[in-house]
Amino acid sequence: ANPMPSYPPAARRRGIEGKVVLDVLVSAEGRALSVEIARSSGSSLLDAAARETIGRWRFRPAMREEEAIEARATVPVQFSLIEP
């Protein structure tokens, strides 16, 4: 039930779209320890919105046998002005 990033109003007004790919280090407790831009959308507005929101997400941690462990996850975020 993690929320998707809100479309930045300034980016919407300018008609900016793009896809951000984030590299997230997820703790054994499921929290984002770090969120880095793996591939930029080309817009700092979209990149910042995605990074900020995903940083607050809760993740299902990776498991090794029956133990939760820290691991990396790749999270793509698509900003499109046309609703699917």
Side-chain angles (χ1 to χ4, degrees), residues 6 13 17 24 29 35 39 41-42 45 48 50 53 55-58 62-65 70-71 74-75 83:
S6 296
R13 283 192 302 275
E17 297 181 314
V24 183
E29 293 76 33
V35 181
R39 188 171 67 229
S41 65
L45 293 170
T53 301
R56 293 189 308 262
W57 277 13
R58 290 291 303 215
M63 302 295 285
R64 179 176 296 138
E65 296 179 14
E70 188 175 286
T74 300
V75 180
E83 298 294 323

PDB file of all heavy atoms in Angstrom, residues 6 13 17 24 29 35 39 41-42 45 48 50 53 55-58 62-65 70-71 74-75 83:
ATOM      1  N   SER A   6       3.640  11.879  -6.023  1.00  0.00           N
ATOM      2  CA  SER A   6       2.748  12.872  -6.617  1.00  0.00           C
ATOM      3  C   SER A   6       3.481  13.547  -7.768  1.00  0.00           C
ATOM      4  O   SER A   6       4.693  13.764  -7.703  1.00  0.00           O
ATOM      5  CB  SER A   6       2.378  13.931  -5.588  1.00  0.00           C
ATOM      6  OG  SER A   6       1.652  13.360  -4.537  1.00  0.00           O
ATOM      7  N   ARG A  13       2.765  21.396 -15.265  1.00  0.00           N
ATOM      8  CA  ARG A  13       2.506  22.617 -16.048  1.00  0.00           C
ATOM      9  C   ARG A  13       3.406  22.711 -17.284  1.00  0.00           C
ATOM     10  O   ARG A  13       2.986  23.199 -18.321  1.00  0.00           O
ATOM     11  CB  ARG A  13       2.723  23.869 -15.185  1.00  0.00           C
ATOM     12  CG  ARG A  13       1.589  24.152 -14.225  1.00  0.00           C
ATOM     13  CD  ARG A  13       1.711  25.535 -13.609  1.00  0.00           C
ATOM     14  NE  ARG A  13       2.963  25.753 -12.900  1.00  0.00           N
ATOM     15  CZ  ARG A  13       3.201  25.417 -11.641  1.00  0.00           C
ATOM     16  NH1 ARG A  13       2.265  24.826 -10.927  1.00  0.00           N
ATOM     17  NH2 ARG A  13       4.377  25.665 -11.091  1.00  0.00           N
ATOM     18  N   GLU A  17       7.538  14.735 -18.727  1.00  0.00           N
ATOM     19  CA  GLU A  17       7.296  13.326 -18.429  1.00  0.00           C
ATOM     20  C   GLU A  17       8.641  12.622 -18.351  1.00  0.00           C
ATOM     21  O   GLU A  17       9.646  13.138 -18.824  1.00  0.00           O
ATOM     22  CB  GLU A  17       6.459  12.664 -19.521  1.00  0.00           C
ATOM     23  CG  GLU A  17       5.073  13.239 -19.678  1.00  0.00           C
ATOM     24  CD  GLU A  17       4.286  12.527 -20.750  1.00  0.00           C
ATOM     25  OE1 GLU A  17       4.835  12.293 -21.850  1.00  0.00           O
ATOM     26  OE2 GLU A  17       3.121  12.192 -20.485  1.00  0.00           O
ATOM     27  N   VAL A  24      17.604   1.278  -4.327  1.00  0.00           N
ATOM     28  CA  VAL A  24      17.232   1.430  -2.920  1.00  0.00           C
ATOM     29  C   VAL A  24      17.939   0.365  -2.093  1.00  0.00           C
ATOM     30  O   VAL A  24      17.876  -0.820  -2.413  1.00  0.00           O
ATOM     31  CB  VAL A  24      15.705   1.300  -2.744  1.00  0.00           C
ATOM     32  CG1 VAL A  24      15.311   1.519  -1.292  1.00  0.00           C
ATOM     33  CG2 VAL A  24      14.970   2.263  -3.666  1.00  0.00           C
ATOM     34  N   GLU A  29      14.654  -4.594   8.269  1.00  0.00           N
ATOM     35  CA  GLU A  29      13.342  -4.228   8.809  1.00  0.00           C
ATOM     36  C   GLU A  29      12.400  -3.708   7.724  1.00  0.00           C
ATOM     37  O   GLU A  29      11.242  -3.384   7.996  1.00  0.00           O
ATOM     38  CB  GLU A  29      13.490  -3.165   9.908  1.00  0.00           C
ATOM     39  CG  GLU A  29      14.197  -3.657  11.151  1.00  0.00           C
ATOM     40  CD  GLU A  29      15.710  -3.769  10.969  1.00  0.00           C
ATOM     41  OE1 GLU A  29      16.301  -2.956  10.226  1.00  0.00           O
ATOM     42  OE2 GLU A  29      16.305  -4.685  11.567  1.00  0.00           O
ATOM     43  N   VAL A  35      18.444   5.921  -0.973  1.00  0.00           N
ATOM     44  CA  VAL A  35      17.741   5.927  -2.253  1.00  0.00           C
ATOM     45  C   VAL A  35      18.579   6.761  -3.212  1.00  0.00           C
ATOM     46  O   VAL A  35      18.744   7.960  -3.009  1.00  0.00           O
ATOM     47  CB  VAL A  35      16.320   6.534  -2.132  1.00  0.00           C
ATOM     48  CG1 VAL A  35      15.617   6.500  -3.475  1.00  0.00           C
ATOM     49  CG2 VAL A  35      15.500   5.817  -1.082  1.00  0.00           C
ATOM     50  N   ARG A  39      19.019   5.857 -12.796  1.00  0.00           N
ATOM     51  CA  ARG A  39      18.853   6.458 -14.125  1.00  0.00           C
ATOM     52  C   ARG A  39      17.874   7.615 -13.985  1.00  0.00           C
ATOM     53  O   ARG A  39      16.737   7.429 -13.548  1.00  0.00           O
ATOM     54  CB  ARG A  39      18.352   5.444 -15.143  1.00  0.00           C
ATOM     55  CG  ARG A  39      18.371   6.015 -16.570  1.00  0.00           C
ATOM     56  CD  ARG A  39      18.083   4.980 -17.643  1.00  0.00           C
ATOM     57  NE  ARG A  39      16.711   4.528 -17.539  1.00  0.00           N
ATOM     58  CZ  ARG A  39      16.339   3.255 -17.530  1.00  0.00           C
ATOM     59  NH1 ARG A  39      17.209   2.300 -17.619  1.00  0.00           N
ATOM     60  NH2 ARG A  39      15.069   2.941 -17.440  1.00  0.00           N
ATOM     61  N   SER A  41      15.364  10.740 -14.965  1.00  0.00           N
ATOM     62  CA  SER A  41      14.290  10.987 -15.930  1.00  0.00           C
ATOM     63  C   SER A  41      14.678  12.114 -16.877  1.00  0.00           C
ATOM     64  O   SER A  41      14.022  12.342 -17.879  1.00  0.00           O
ATOM     65  CB  SER A  41      13.024  11.403 -15.184  1.00  0.00           C
ATOM     66  OG  SER A  41      13.240  12.662 -14.541  1.00  0.00           O
ATOM     67  N   GLY A  42      15.727  12.850 -16.508  1.00  0.00           N
ATOM     68  CA  GLY A  42      16.112  14.035 -17.265  1.00  0.00           C
ATOM     69  C   GLY A  42      15.542  15.300 -16.643  1.00  0.00           C
ATOM     70  O   GLY A  42      15.825  16.402 -17.081  1.00  0.00           O
ATOM     71  N   LEU A  45      12.993  17.756 -11.131  1.00  0.00           N
ATOM     72  CA  LEU A  45      11.709  17.783 -10.427  1.00  0.00           C
ATOM     73  C   LEU A  45      11.146  16.374 -10.252  1.00  0.00           C
ATOM     74  O   LEU A  45      10.710  15.990  -9.160  1.00  0.00           O
ATOM     75  CB  LEU A  45      10.694  18.638 -11.192  1.00  0.00           C
ATOM     76  CG  LEU A  45      10.978  20.134 -11.280  1.00  0.00           C
ATOM     77  CD1 LEU A  45      10.025  20.791 -12.277  1.00  0.00           C
ATOM     78  CD2 LEU A  45      10.879  20.767  -9.912  1.00  0.00           C
ATOM     79  N   ALA A  48      13.506  14.170  -7.938  1.00  0.00           N
ATOM     80  CA  ALA A  48      13.373  14.489  -6.509  1.00  0.00           C
ATOM     81  C   ALA A  48      12.061  13.957  -5.938  1.00  0.00           C
ATOM     82  O   ALA A  48      12.035  13.426  -4.822  1.00  0.00           O
ATOM     83  CB  ALA A  48      13.475  15.996  -6.304  1.00  0.00           C
ATOM     84  N   ALA A  50      10.322  11.361  -6.942  1.00  0.00           N
ATOM     85  CA  ALA A  50      10.413   9.903  -6.832  1.00  0.00           C
ATOM     86  C   ALA A  50      11.309   9.511  -5.662  1.00  0.00           C
ATOM     87  O   ALA A  50      10.941   8.654  -4.840  1.00  0.00           O
ATOM     88  CB  ALA A  50      10.957   9.319  -8.134  1.00  0.00           C
ATOM     89  N   THR A  53       9.561  10.210  -2.175  1.00  0.00           N
ATOM     90  CA  THR A  53       8.449   9.308  -1.859  1.00  0.00           C
ATOM     91  C   THR A  53       8.921   7.886  -1.603  1.00  0.00           C
ATOM     92  O   THR A  53       8.515   7.260  -0.619  1.00  0.00           O
ATOM     93  CB  THR A  53       7.408   9.314  -2.989  1.00  0.00           C
ATOM     94  OG1 THR A  53       6.934  10.655  -3.158  1.00  0.00           O
ATOM     95  CG2 THR A  53       6.231   8.400  -2.670  1.00  0.00           C
ATOM     96  N   GLY A  55      11.706   6.911  -0.572  1.00  0.00           N
ATOM     97  CA  GLY A  55      12.448   6.900   0.685  1.00  0.00           C
ATOM     98  C   GLY A  55      11.563   6.660   1.903  1.00  0.00           C
ATOM     99  O   GLY A  55      12.049   6.236   2.956  1.00  0.00           O
ATOM    100  N   ARG A  56      10.265   6.913   1.779  1.00  0.00           N
ATOM    101  CA  ARG A  56       9.317   6.693   2.878  1.00  0.00           C
ATOM    102  C   ARG A  56       8.592   5.344   2.774  1.00  0.00           C
ATOM    103  O   ARG A  56       7.817   4.986   3.656  1.00  0.00           O
ATOM    104  CB  ARG A  56       8.283   7.821   2.915  1.00  0.00           C
ATOM    105  CG  ARG A  56       8.877   9.161   3.292  1.00  0.00           C
ATOM    106  CD  ARG A  56       7.805  10.199   3.544  1.00  0.00           C
ATOM    107  NE  ARG A  56       6.837  10.316   2.467  1.00  0.00           N
ATOM    108  CZ  ARG A  56       6.870  11.240   1.514  1.00  0.00           C
ATOM    109  NH1 ARG A  56       7.831  12.135   1.492  1.00  0.00           N
ATOM    110  NH2 ARG A  56       5.935  11.278   0.590  1.00  0.00           N
ATOM    111  N   TRP A  57       8.806   4.617   1.682  1.00  0.00           N
ATOM    112  CA  TRP A  57       8.137   3.331   1.494  1.00  0.00           C
ATOM    113  C   TRP A  57       8.589   2.312   2.533  1.00  0.00           C
ATOM    114  O   TRP A  57       9.694   2.375   3.063  1.00  0.00           O
ATOM    115  CB  TRP A  57       8.443   2.766   0.121  1.00  0.00           C
ATOM    116  CG  TRP A  57       7.591   3.288  -0.990  1.00  0.00           C
ATOM    117  CD1 TRP A  57       6.753   4.362  -0.980  1.00  0.00           C
ATOM    118  CD2 TRP A  57       7.528   2.745  -2.307  1.00  0.00           C
ATOM    119  NE1 TRP A  57       6.166   4.510  -2.209  1.00  0.00           N
ATOM    120  CE2 TRP A  57       6.632   3.533  -3.048  1.00  0.00           C
ATOM    121  CE3 TRP A  57       8.152   1.671  -2.936  1.00  0.00           C
ATOM    122  CZ2 TRP A  57       6.330   3.277  -4.382  1.00  0.00           C
ATOM    123  CZ3 TRP A  57       7.861   1.417  -4.264  1.00  0.00           C
ATOM    124  CH2 TRP A  57       6.956   2.212  -4.975  1.00  0.00           C
ATOM    125  N   ARG A  58       7.730   1.326   2.745  1.00  0.00           N
ATOM    126  CA  ARG A  58       8.090   0.137   3.510  1.00  0.00           C
ATOM    127  C   ARG A  58       8.198  -1.007   2.512  1.00  0.00           C
ATOM    128  O   ARG A  58       7.334  -1.177   1.655  1.00  0.00           O
ATOM    129  CB  ARG A  58       7.009  -0.193   4.547  1.00  0.00           C
ATOM    130  CG  ARG A  58       6.916   0.787   5.696  1.00  0.00           C
ATOM    131  CD  ARG A  58       8.108   0.710   6.594  1.00  0.00           C
ATOM    132  NE  ARG A  58       8.258  -0.652   7.088  1.00  0.00           N
ATOM    133  CZ  ARG A  58       8.698  -0.950   8.276  1.00  0.00           C
ATOM    134  NH1 ARG A  58       9.054  -0.035   9.098  1.00  0.00           N
ATOM    135  NH2 ARG A  58       8.813  -2.209   8.642  1.00  0.00           N
ATOM    136  N   ALA A  62      14.509  -8.720   1.954  1.00  0.00           N
ATOM    137  CA  ALA A  62      15.027  -9.948   1.354  1.00  0.00           C
ATOM    138  C   ALA A  62      15.252 -10.968   2.469  1.00  0.00           C
ATOM    139  O   ALA A  62      15.470 -10.601   3.631  1.00  0.00           O
ATOM    140  CB  ALA A  62      16.333  -9.662   0.623  1.00  0.00           C
ATOM    141  N   MET A  63      15.191 -12.220   2.111  1.00  0.00           N
ATOM    142  CA  MET A  63      15.362 -13.288   3.099  1.00  0.00           C
ATOM    143  C   MET A  63      16.509 -14.194   2.686  1.00  0.00           C
ATOM    144  O   MET A  63      16.673 -14.504   1.510  1.00  0.00           O
ATOM    145  CB  MET A  63      14.084 -14.119   3.221  1.00  0.00           C
ATOM    146  CG  MET A  63      12.838 -13.333   3.611  1.00  0.00           C
ATOM    147  SD  MET A  63      12.911 -12.623   5.242  1.00  0.00           S
ATOM    148  CE  MET A  63      12.656 -14.074   6.246  1.00  0.00           C
ATOM    149  N   ARG A  64      17.288 -14.602   3.660  1.00  0.00           N
ATOM    150  CA  ARG A  64      18.301 -15.635   3.464  1.00  0.00           C
ATOM    151  C   ARG A  64      17.939 -16.734   4.444  1.00  0.00           C
ATOM    152  O   ARG A  64      17.999 -16.512   5.651  1.00  0.00           O
ATOM    153  CB  ARG A  64      19.707 -15.104   3.728  1.00  0.00           C
ATOM    154  CG  ARG A  64      20.754 -16.189   3.546  1.00  0.00           C
ATOM    155  CD  ARG A  64      22.173 -15.705   3.693  1.00  0.00           C
ATOM    156  NE  ARG A  64      22.487 -14.752   2.641  1.00  0.00           N
ATOM    157  CZ  ARG A  64      23.179 -13.633   2.829  1.00  0.00           C
ATOM    158  NH1 ARG A  64      23.612 -13.308   4.031  1.00  0.00           N
ATOM    159  NH2 ARG A  64      23.444 -12.824   1.828  1.00  0.00           N
ATOM    160  N   GLU A  65      17.524 -17.858   3.898  1.00  0.00           N
ATOM    161  CA  GLU A  65      16.932 -18.937   4.681  1.00  0.00           C
ATOM    162  C   GLU A  65      15.720 -18.354   5.410  1.00  0.00           C
ATOM    163  O   GLU A  65      14.789 -17.933   4.757  1.00  0.00           O
ATOM    164  CB  GLU A  65      17.978 -19.579   5.584  1.00  0.00           C
ATOM    165  CG  GLU A  65      19.077 -20.252   4.778  1.00  0.00           C
ATOM    166  CD  GLU A  65      20.150 -20.889   5.607  1.00  0.00           C
ATOM    167  OE1 GLU A  65      19.959 -21.059   6.824  1.00  0.00           O
ATOM    168  OE2 GLU A  65      21.195 -21.226   5.035  1.00  0.00           O
ATOM    169  N   GLU A  70      19.593  -7.223   4.789  1.00  0.00           N
ATOM    170  CA  GLU A  70      19.704  -5.983   4.020  1.00  0.00           C
ATOM    171  C   GLU A  70      19.995  -6.348   2.565  1.00  0.00           C
ATOM    172  O   GLU A  70      20.768  -7.264   2.293  1.00  0.00           O
ATOM    173  CB  GLU A  70      20.871  -5.185   4.598  1.00  0.00           C
ATOM    174  CG  GLU A  70      21.039  -3.811   4.090  1.00  0.00           C
ATOM    175  CD  GLU A  70      22.154  -3.091   4.832  1.00  0.00           C
ATOM    176  OE1 GLU A  70      21.950  -2.705   5.995  1.00  0.00           O
ATOM    177  OE2 GLU A  70      23.231  -2.931   4.227  1.00  0.00           O
ATOM    178  N   ALA A  71      19.358  -5.642   1.643  1.00  0.00           N
ATOM    179  CA  ALA A  71      19.571  -5.930   0.224  1.00  0.00           C
ATOM    180  C   ALA A  71      19.219  -4.708  -0.611  1.00  0.00           C
ATOM    181  O   ALA A  71      18.589  -3.770  -0.128  1.00  0.00           O
ATOM    182  CB  ALA A  71      18.724  -7.122  -0.212  1.00  0.00           C
ATOM    183  N   THR A  74      15.674  -2.399  -7.100  1.00  0.00           N
ATOM    184  CA  THR A  74      15.549  -1.424  -8.179  1.00  0.00           C
ATOM    185  C   THR A  74      14.077  -1.067  -8.302  1.00  0.00           C
ATOM    186  O   THR A  74      13.227  -1.953  -8.409  1.00  0.00           O
ATOM    187  CB  THR A  74      16.058  -2.021  -9.509  1.00  0.00           C
ATOM    188  OG1 THR A  74      17.437  -2.377  -9.337  1.00  0.00           O
ATOM    189  CG2 THR A  74      15.930  -1.018 -10.642  1.00  0.00           C
ATOM    190  N   VAL A  75      13.791   0.244  -8.260  1.00  0.00           N
ATOM    191  CA  VAL A  75      12.408   0.708  -8.312  1.00  0.00           C
ATOM    192  C   VAL A  75      12.245   1.692  -9.466  1.00  0.00           C
ATOM    193  O   VAL A  75      12.787   2.793  -9.422  1.00  0.00           O
ATOM    194  CB  VAL A  75      11.983   1.389  -6.991  1.00  0.00           C
ATOM    195  CG1 VAL A  75      10.540   1.874  -7.070  1.00  0.00           C
ATOM    196  CG2 VAL A  75      12.190   0.463  -5.806  1.00  0.00           C
ATOM    197  N   GLU A  83      -3.142   9.351 -18.255  1.00  0.00           N
ATOM    198  CA  GLU A  83      -3.482   8.272 -17.327  1.00  0.00           C
ATOM    199  C   GLU A  83      -3.656   6.969 -18.089  1.00  0.00           C
ATOM    200  O   GLU A  83      -4.288   6.956 -19.141  1.00  0.00           O
ATOM    201  CB  GLU A  83      -4.768   8.605 -16.584  1.00  0.00           C
ATOM    202  CG  GLU A  83      -4.682   9.855 -15.732  1.00  0.00           C
ATOM    203  CD  GLU A  83      -3.715   9.722 -14.572  1.00  0.00           C
ATOM    204  OE1 GLU A  83      -3.638   8.630 -13.983  1.00  0.00           O
ATOM    205  OE2 GLU A  83      -3.031  10.710 -14.260  1.00  0.00           O
TER     206      GLU A  83
END
